Amino acid sequence: MEKRSKAILFLLLSAILWSSGGLFIKMVSWHPVAIAGLRSLIAMTVILAYIRHPRFTFTFPQIGGAIAYAVTVTLFVIATKLTTAANAILLQYTAPVYVAFLSAWVLQERPQWFDWVTIGMALGGMALFFLDDLASGGLLGNALAILSGVSFAFLVLFMRKQRNESPFETVLLGNLLTGVIGLPFMFGSMPDAQSWVGLFFLGVIQLGLSYVLYSKAIKHVTAIEATLIPGIEPMLNPIWVFLILGEEPGKWALIGGCIVLISVTLRSLIAVRRRDLSS
């Protein structure tokens, strides 16, 4: 399998793992900043075990990416606790819009017309997917989710900026920073047995393994692709809720999910076709 095809597969797998976050965060009874901190400390051990010998350069992209990572994962956990998991994911996935505006300036990767069409279709589909939930979410939680989307865009840009280096160290530093931020919030109370199971899954699988895959993938795809392809995450999250809790998605959710899938698939096919014609 060629590197690019493998990278796209890794992005899809990352999105599947990320999509379990809302469900497991809701299952953990603890302070949201403590959840974010411990989850990241666990994830850090997974990533460190994979790379073994990290190379810290402390360049601007590496430090900037680490800060963006810490802000992203911390705000997302808080937002998920304050509003619905659907709202938090939807509003975080406004990130492709910010990436599209900034990638030409930061990375000299100019978005193509089909990137803009895909962004519009994907965001429209996600809006339909959570049409009923968006109005009912907490205002503060929604605002934090939007900020999480902005910081996620910067994380993608900074990681892509290191495509010829190693973006793993950015994620490693970001998890360490998140753990330090969450540490003071961990001593007020202790999680129960169910919460410990949730925290372990969140740290090892949902965050640790997913970012190993994502860090490998981002070296071989554009910044736009690194945000658009994982856009299936907000569609998958309610599916896990349906399978585990029996909540059926409404008709707008089904229509929106189809739009997201079709838009991302068509964008990938167009990009492959254009690359074949130019080669």
Side-chain angles (χ1 to χ4, degrees):
M1 185 182 297
E2 63 171 311
K3 290 182 178 179
R4 178 179 167 77
S5 298
K6 187 181 291 186
I8 292 173
L9 176 61
F10 285 170
L11 288 177
L12 292 172
L13 291 174
S14 297
I16 292 171
L17 296 178
W18 285 340
S19 68
S20 63
L23 178 63
F24 280 92
I25 289 170
K26 293 285 189 182
M27 289 172 57
V28 176
S29 300
W30 210 19
H31 194 287
V33 182
I35 294 173
L38 186 55
R39 179 180 72 154
S40 283
L41 290 177
I42 296 172
M44 184 179 70
T45 62
V46 175
I47 297 168
L48 189 58
Y50 175 78
I51 60 176
R52 295 187 181 181
H53 304 292
R55 293 178 288 123
F56 297 111
T57 58
F58 298 106
T59 59
F60 180 72
Q62 191 173 90
I63 298 299
I67 294 172
Y69 178 96
V71 172
T72 298
V73 297
T74 302
L75 290 184
F76 179 74
V77 174
I78 299 173
T80 301
K81 285 293 190 181
L82 294 177
T83 185
T84 64
N87 285 14
I89 294 172
L90 166 64
L91 294 172
Q92 187 187 59
Y93 268 89
T94 53
V97 177
Y98 316 130
V99 171
F101 280 113
L102 294 170
S103 60
W105 171 54
V106 177
L107 301 172
Q108 287 73 54
E109 294 178 355
R110 190 171 299 279
Q112 303 297 315
W113 66 267
F114 50 84
D115 289 320
W116 292 110
V117 172
T118 305
I119 289 169
M121 290 180 64
L123 292 178
M126 286 188 285
L128 288 175
F129 198 86
F130 303 116
L131 191 62
D132 295 330
D133 291 330
L134 188 57
S136 63
L139 180 60
L140 178 59
N142 290 346
L144 293 178
I146 293 172
L147 292 177
S148 180
V150 175
S151 59
F152 181 57
F154 278 100
L155 170 62
V156 172
L157 293 170
F158 280 126
M159 290 184 70
R160 178 63 181 159
K161 191 77 172 175
Q162 301 172 78
R163 58 188 176 274
N164 297 323
E165 302 168 21
S166 176
F168 286 100
E169 285 76 10
T170 289
V171 177
L172 196 61
L173 285 174
N175 278 308
L176 177 60
L177 179 58
T178 308
V180 171
I181 292 171
L183 196 61
F185 297 87
M186 298 180 191
F187 300 102
S189 62
M190 293 301 292
D192 56 23
Q194 175 180 289
S195 296
W196 276 114
V197 173
L199 285 165
F200 182 80
F201 182 90
L202 287 168
V204 175
I205 306 297
Q206 192 265 335
L207 200 64
L209 179 57
S210 67
Y211 267 100
V212 168
L213 296 171
Y214 191 80
S215 299
K216 289 174 68 68
I218 202 166
K219 300 179 72 172
H220 306 291
V221 295
T222 66
I224 286 288
E225 290 170 328
T227 50
L228 281 176
I229 294 173
I232 64 170
E233 178 194 351
M235 183 191 68
L236 292 175
N237 185 282
I239 294 177
W240 306 139
V241 175
F242 167 71
L243 292 175
I244 296 172
L245 302 179
E247 294 181 357
E248 296 186 19
K251 66 175 182 179
W252 289 114
L254 295 175
I255 294 171
C258 289
I259 291 174
V260 172
L261 275 178
I262 291 170
S263 62
V264 173
T265 301
L266 286 178
R267 191 260 171 221
S268 299
L269 292 175
I270 291 172
V272 169
R273 178 64 175 168
R274 286 169 65 94
R275 190 171 65 252
D276 290 342
L277 290 174
S278 62
S279 60

